[in-house]
Amino acid sequence: MRIIQASKIGNQDWNYFQEKTELKNPLVLVFGNRFLLEDTSIINAIRQEFPYENIVFGSTSGEILCCNVNDNSISITAIEFENGSYVVERENILDFDKNAKKLGEALYNKIPKENLKHLFVLSEGSFVNGSSLINGLENKIDLAVSITGGMCGDDARFEKTIASYKENPKEGEVILIGFYGDTLEISFASFGGWVPFGPERIITKSQANILYEIDGQPALDLYKKYLGDKAKELPQASLLYPLTVTPVGKNEPVVRTILKINNEDNSMTLAGDVPVNSRVQLMMASVDGIANGAHIAAEYAMKNRKNAPEIAILVSCIGRKLVMNQRVEEEIEQVREGIGEKIPMTGFYSYGEMAPFNGSTSCELHNQTMTLTLISE
């Protein structure tokens, strides 16, 4: 595996992290600020600097490269596989009447199945139901194939996210990358570090990822009551106080971030499904708790590996970034300490993370976690 990484901040020149050399048919991952990715001149400059066919673009809430977290930047990681291979497919949620499950099924059907080892998802993050997308992808999946990935971000604006494969970035895109080959070793993990507080309640009315009532009361009213003065800052304030949701029949809770609120019907739209009769509780976090959570994620991802990873893809939640503020790079340093100082790292801050629970193969949508995908060949 050969890797070339570069970043561009503002009007500065490209900053390369390895020697700039020509690669053979690399997978090029471009993570960047949404406004920069909407600038045609910047996209042209990226294509000129990295004149390759298979370029995947995604907007972020912060770019991760090496051990740095940048804002308003472009980060690029080009990966040349020497033994393994990859296939990239795309669909647009607007072509499926915003039905994420059908889109997921269509995407999985397009991906070749022979020697498929792992799937990585880069999804629109504003209005795709991440849980439904995963359900569609896993509807007919081989149990030996694992899924990780993330939902694109737009800083803390929640206006729109963009992504693309080969084309210029646009709204509604969902990208699926399939990794192939017996020589590939891919491990993953996801961990939060948030702590629940307050009484545990029951979801009494919901539809997919829209939450209407908790304990028979309007969900938004109850949530505002807990937030107090911070309720005026919704939905951004919800990133600091997400919900932990435990569906009936599940032992492991998932964390759900609120993407938008509706004051007319007192509902909240979350990043993934919130089934009726699920147990729900508010959560909060400290900087040290989040940093330690990132270290635990790294330990889990490294636990059963046979070989050292050659690239690490990090997807962390915008809520973690807001809590950590100027100390945000501490969680990246914790990952680096756990996986090895010399392992190239790339990734982004997201509106949702995708990975199985530790010890499981079935993918889940998470919020407020550090999610790692470690690859070697």
Side-chain angles (χ1 to χ4, degrees):
M1 185 181 292
R2 298 172 64 202
I3 296 168
I4 303 293
Q5 294 180 295
S7 68
K8 184 176 178 61
I9 302 175
N11 294 321
Q12 299 177 17
D13 292 335
W14 289 99
N15 177 33
Y16 278 82
F17 289 76
Q18 298 87 8
E19 181 182 355
K20 182 182 178 181
T21 58
E22 185 175 342
L23 299 178
K24 181 180 179 182
N25 188 35
L27 171 64
V28 182
L29 302 176
V30 180
F31 301 128
N33 173 272
R34 189 252 296 179
F35 292 119
L36 296 180
L37 294 184
E38 288 179 322
D39 188 328
T40 303
S41 65
I42 291 176
I43 297 299
N44 291 340
I46 292 171
R47 296 187 190 279
Q48 184 174 359
E49 193 72 18
F50 289 83
Y52 301 113
E53 179 181 3
N54 296 306
I55 303 181
V56 174
F57 297 92
S59 67
T60 81
S61 296
E63 300 79 53
I64 300 169
L65 198 66
C66 183
C67 53
N68 302 317
V69 176
N70 298 318
D71 294 306
N72 301 316
S73 78
I74 299 291
S75 73
I76 299 181
T77 299
I79 307 168
E80 175 188 302
F81 292 91
E82 297 175 283
N83 298 309
S85 61
Y86 66 91
V87 171
V88 185
E89 295 290 351
R90 57 153 294 277
E91 290 288 358
N92 195 292
I93 191 70
L94 301 178
D95 296 330
F96 290 82
D97 196 28
K98 295 190 177 182
N99 187 320
K101 187 173 188 293
K102 288 184 178 179
L103 182 148
E105 291 172 346
L107 261 183
Y108 182 71
N109 288 337
K110 292 171 71 173
I111 285 282
K113 307 303 184 295
E114 187 175 355
N115 293 323
L116 177 61
K117 194 76 172 271
H118 183 82
L119 294 170
F120 188 87
V121 184
L122 183 66
S123 171
E124 189 284 332
S126 296
F127 50 82
V128 166
N129 181 330
S131 299
S132 295
L133 173 62
I134 292 169
N135 289 340
L137 290 169
E138 290 193 329
N139 188 33
K140 297 181 180 179
I141 200 169
D142 186 319
L143 293 178
V145 177
S146 49
I147 299 176
T148 58
M151 315 286 285
C152 289
D154 181 31
D155 292 326
R157 287 183 293 267
F158 292 93
E159 293 173 356
K160 69 174 181 177
T161 68
I162 56 176
S164 67
Y165 169 53
K166 294 187 178 180
E167 301 175 349
N168 288 5
K170 58 185 178 180
E171 283 191 276
E173 292 289 284
V174 181
I175 318 300
L176 186 62
I177 306 171
F179 294 101
Y180 299 80
D182 294 333
T183 61
L184 287 180
E185 182 180 4
I186 300 176
S187 62
F188 44 84
S190 183
F191 199 85
W194 294 67
V195 179
F197 73 95
E200 191 175 68
R201 298 178 181 273
I202 301 295
I203 294 175
T204 48
K205 184 180 179 182
S206 66
Q207 182 178 358
N209 62 330
I210 303 176
L211 177 56
Y212 292 100
E213 292 182 2
I214 298 173
D215 282 352
Q217 302 177 55
L220 186 54
D221 284 350
L222 190 61
Y223 195 77
K224 286 180 176 179
K225 179 181 177 181
Y226 273 99
L227 290 187
D229 291 341
K230 290 184 178 293
K232 293 180 290 187
E233 302 171 23
L234 285 169
Q236 287 85 352
S238 70
L239 294 169
L240 305 178
Y241 300 96
L243 300 174
T244 176
V245 179
T246 307
V248 175
K250 296 284 184 102
N251 295 320
E252 293 279 359
V254 291
V255 181
R256 289 286 177 258
T257 292
I258 299 162
L259 297 180
K260 63 181 180 180
I261 62 174
N262 187 330
N263 286 301
E264 293 183 2
D265 61 7
N266 283 308
S267 70
M268 305 186 292
T269 300
L270 293 95
D273 287 345
V274 280
V276 169
N277 293 325
S278 297
R279 303 193 307 275
V280 63
Q281 199 171 7
L282 278 169
M283 302 191 81
M284 61 189 300
S286 67
V287 171
D288 291 339
I290 288 176
N292 185 58
H295 187 79
I296 292 172
E299 288 183 334
Y300 283 159
M302 291 292 292
K303 189 173 183 180
N304 296 313
R305 287 194 65 89
K306 297 177 182 177
N307 303 295
E310 295 178 77
I311 183 71
I313 304 175
L314 284 60
V315 183
S316 186
C317 185
I318 172 61
R320 299 168 69 86
K321 184 167 178 270
L322 292 178
V323 171
M324 299 197 79
N325 200 1
Q326 294 181 344
R327 293 175 61 185
V328 66
E329 289 181 349
E330 290 185 22
E331 74 162 349
I332 310 304
E333 291 167 0
Q334 288 293 320
V335 171
R336 191 181 190 188
E337 181 180 306
I339 67 174
E341 296 286 332
K342 297 182 179 179
I343 307 305
M345 297 192 298
T346 186
F348 62 98
Y349 281 86
S350 73
Y351 284 174
E353 308 83 59
M354 299 179 186
F357 282 116
N358 299 307
S360 173
T361 57
S362 178
C363 188
E364 297 279 354
L365 177 74
H366 305 274
N367 292 123
Q368 310 294 358
T369 66
M370 166 63 78
T371 293
L372 306 178
T373 306
L374 309 181
I375 306 174
S376 64
E377 59 173 349

